[in-house]
Amino acid sequence: MICKYSTILFLAIPLSLLNIAHAQSILGFTAAHATRETAVEEKFKSIPTPAEERRQHRIFTQEPHVAGSKRNNELAEYIRDEWKKQGLEDVIIRRYDVYGTNPKSASLEMIAPTHYQAVLRETPLPGDGDSKNPAISGAWLGMSISGEVTAPVVYAHSGNPEDYDLLRKNGISVKGKIVLVRYSNPYSYRGFKALTAQREGAAAMLVYSDPQEDGYKKGKVDPDGPWGPEYKIQRGAITYDFIVPGDPQTPGWASIPGAKRIPIEQAASAPKIMALPLSWHDAKPLLENLDGPIAPDSWQGGLGFPYRLGGEKEKVHLEIEMDNGLQPYYVVEGRIRGAELPDEWVVLGNHRDAWVFGGVDPSSGTASMMELTRALGELKKQGMRPRRTLVICSWDGEEVGLTGSTEWGEQFADELRAKAVAYINVDEATSGPNFHGQAVASLAPMLEETTRTLQDPSGKSLYDAWRETTAREKAEARSGPFDSGAVNSSLADTRIGSGSDHTVFLNFVGVPVIGLGFEGDYGVYHSGYDDFYWMNHFGDPGYKYHTLMSQLWGVTALRLANADLLPFDFATYANNVRQFVNELTSKNNSVILSGGEAGAKDPTKGCATCGASGTAPKPLDLVDIQKAIDNFESAGKKLNQSLTRKLAAGPIDAKLAVTLNHGMMQVERTWLNPDGIPGRPWFKHILYGARFTYAHLELPGLTEAVEAQDWPTAKQQAEILERALESNTRLLNQLNSALNP
Ligand SMILES: [Zn+2]
């Protein structure tokens, strides 16, 4: 699972920072060590092969392997055994006993105005042998409750709160009824749709894939193209992990043996509603037979008849039986111990569990991980052990509620706070050729620099390919013409929401994160058709992007593991925080930012431009925050200069390096508020969060308070941000003093 939200904004990184990436100059390295690093990277990049990527991908896509299943657990053992053979160290399988979810049976029958028995299964596709596998599950959603209901059907569009407002305006209540919603238009996480339906008092939610979103309206469908065919079912969990991820019964602590467990009835992330996904084949008769008013234009879809709101004559009988309860999930962990700084960790991870075969999600990432670890093992055998420790994890139950990574992160939170340099996540490695790189802003320059040293299958550098993708997507977003010159150096996406295994690292522990993926047209997400056939015909025939992912993932990790001084750029971070604050103020005119409006701020001074009646003071003043950002930025710039000078001057004193690196590691931790954001204490990061829809949400505590016009909370959240900025400024100034005694 990854966040499918498409609102991506990009960070402008000063050109000056990127132009220093000429031969044998690498951010964070002395000249001599950059030369050595380049040699290590060249060796590393030569190891992964498309043939091996494909072979590994076949192993992981051979059978369905949902979280908790026998096959998924066998794959954990397979990874463990392979890693040992490859030369990884301290390989161990960690067990977490969590509240799992499995389907028993489901049936859906329209009983009025006409009879229709839903298929609830995906039919085999010609040429795709795997699609005949009898082990492919039917329609189900993780964490649905069991139950039975006969009730009228209401079409509730995307199932977001504003959709129910429109229904109310039309006099349609959904209380006790079955709501039929679609996945996108606009996209929101299915768990948010379920929570919304639950809050509205619906008896059940059916969610279907409209061909307009990912089917024949987009292009050729599987097996002739990458889009979703008639019987495609998008499975998925409806867990309310935007409130708290991981095992619902151990919110905030690890599900290790003997752990306290809260009753499932009290678990905030456990849904209390029945829910089932449908193919458009099964949704069509339900939509066609609805009565009531015609739905608005924006609610219409691709099925070729007018969609109505329904609510009265059409009745459906729905029965779902689930097998939810305690079961073990397994995280596989291995490492290459650092030669010089074993207690500084660079952590890498990918989830193993898939809704069915997981051709893209996540087996493309798992195949890339297996080639990455083979190459790392090979380097070690040739005497090229990294300076810092690389920890590599195969997560379980990501699809259910980011479960395995969350439990692991909660278990090792103290150790991670002391040791973790960064976490690099790969979920869906490859669904096409378009690179997307995410990073906290302090690591954006190093990620961009890294892509300059890799070659895209198009023949260009990965950096140039990334630039073109970004330019094209920005142009498409504006519906303007393609102009590759429109992009300067703003490539890394620094808007980081939730939806994958980086969440516990960033939001709970305060570890800087990077996320990597190649994307393309992909209409079979979370279905039985996301398989080996799809990858070999559409996603990555030839496995070149899988190979590139192994190379990129590894080189990024090696740079972080081998750097003399960690390649963080806090001036860039400051600039990014300023953008976040500017966006908040530009969207909310109750918030004052610049000193120029100070007349309105101070009610005792009156206001020359406010007219005779005067204007009420702005309820929130962020001028002090602006100053704090300026100070943080200038401290970051000074530190950048000092670090560059120091690295240029030759070998770095080991004790000084430890002081500097541990200081820089501390910056991300400082962004955490131990109390969490209001209402969601698990999510502690004050710069990054996610909305309930899964959309990224910057300055989450402050933004939500401003949007709710809760000014006391907004002021308190602003103070927390200001204090964190001040702490980090002090920290950077201390590091700068250590560099310039
Ligand atoms: Zn995934």
Side-chain angles (χ1 to χ4, degrees), residues 434-465:
N434 306 317
F435 179 63
H436 283 256
Q438 263 198 338
V440 293
S442 54
L443 288 176
M446 83 76 67
L447 178 61
E448 297 191 5
E449 186 193 64
T450 305
T451 60
R452 288 174 182 269
T453 61
L454 290 147
Q455 202 187 2
D456 186 79
S458 64
K460 295 185 271 276
S461 74
L462 176 57
Y463 177 82
D464 286 337

Side-chain angles (χ1 to χ4, degrees), residues 1 53-66 72 75 122 128 130-131 136 222 226 235 350-369 399 426-432 518 521-541 543 545-546 549:
M1 171 174 64
E53 300 277 356
R54 186 172 190 273
R55 191 182 71 82
Q56 290 287 4
H57 188 248
R58 185 59 190 140
I59 290 166
F60 286 96
T61 56
Q62 189 86 48
E63 290 291 333
H65 53 286
V66 77
N72 199 43
L75 287 172
E122 293 169 316
D128 179 358
D130 288 337
S131 66
I136 298 172
D222 200 11
R235 296 160 191 76
N350 158 264
H351 73 89
R352 185 179 68 254
D353 62 304
W355 285 107
V356 187
F357 302 105
V360 172
D361 183 8
S363 303
S364 62
T366 317
S368 288
M369 181 179 70
E399 296 291 1
V426 173
D427 186 327
E428 302 169 4
T430 311
S431 61
F518 290 92
D521 292 345
Y522 177 39
V524 297
Y525 174 69
H526 284 187
S527 78
Y529 305 127
D530 181 13
D531 65 0
F532 189 65
Y533 174 95
W534 191 94
M535 186 59 74
N536 278 271
H537 287 80
F538 314 115
D540 188 19
Y543 287 80
Y545 289 94
H546 281 74
M549 177 57 81

Side-chain angles (χ1 to χ4, degrees), residues 678-707:
R680 293 189 279 171
W682 190 92
F683 286 90
K684 301 183 191 301
H685 208 294
I686 61 174
L687 304 181
Y688 300 107
R691 294 186 186 274
F692 281 28
T693 58
Y694 264 18
H696 57 82
L697 171 65
E698 287 71 51
L699 311 174
L702 179 59
T703 302
E704 286 186 333
V706 166
E707 287 174 353

Side-chain angles (χ1 to χ4, degrees), residues 208-398:
Y208 83 101
S209 307
D210 197 283
Q212 197 174 65
E213 293 151 15
D214 57 13
Y216 61 76
K217 285 283 181 180
K218 289 285 208 175
K220 282 189 178 169
V221 303
D222 200 11
D224 303 313
W227 297 104
E230 181 171 358
Y231 289 89
K232 185 214 71 167
I233 298 166
Q234 185 191 132
R235 296 160 191 76
I238 58 167
T239 315
Y240 305 158
D241 55 9
F242 42 79
I243 300 173
V244 54
D247 176 11
Q249 295 187 283
T250 62
W253 62 93
S255 303
I256 50 178
K260 178 188 145 203
R261 307 188 62 77
I262 62 170
I264 194 67
E265 298 73 29
Q266 290 170 23
S269 63
K272 316 278 190 284
I273 188 168
M274 296 162 67
L276 195 69
L278 301 179
S279 65
W280 71 252
H281 176 89
D282 276 340
K284 191 175 176 220
L286 301 184
L287 284 163
E288 252 174 338
N289 285 289
L290 286 174
D291 56 353
I294 298 266
D297 284 353
S298 61
W299 289 33
Q300 297 299 324
L303 287 171
F305 54 82
Y307 296 10
R308 292 174 178 273
L309 299 180
E312 280 186 42
K313 287 190 185 126
E314 181 177 319
K315 283 200 174 58
V316 155
H317 174 233
L318 172 68
E319 198 171 350
I320 298 174
E321 209 183 333
M322 299 292 292
D323 179 14
N324 296 346
L326 213 59
Q327 70 178 130
Y329 283 4
Y330 297 97
V331 170
V332 194
E333 179 193 316
R335 65 187 67 196
I336 307 262
R337 288 194 288 267
E340 296 168 37
L341 302 161
D343 285 337
E344 293 178 17
W345 293 358
V346 177
V347 187
L348 289 70
N350 158 264
H351 73 89
R352 185 179 68 254
D353 62 304
W355 285 107
V356 187
F357 302 105
V360 172
D361 183 8
S363 303
S364 62
T366 317
S368 288
M369 181 179 70
M370 297 311 285
E371 271 298 83
L372 159 93
T373 51
R374 184 173 72 85
L376 290 174
E378 201 57 46
L379 286 191
K380 195 200 80 182
K381 284 174 199 161
Q382 296 185 23
M384 286 178 263
R385 189 183 274 281
R387 295 183 67 224
R388 299 182 177 83
T389 295
L390 296 172
V391 179
I392 303 112
C393 292
S394 165
W395 309 121
D396 201 354
E398 187 272 354

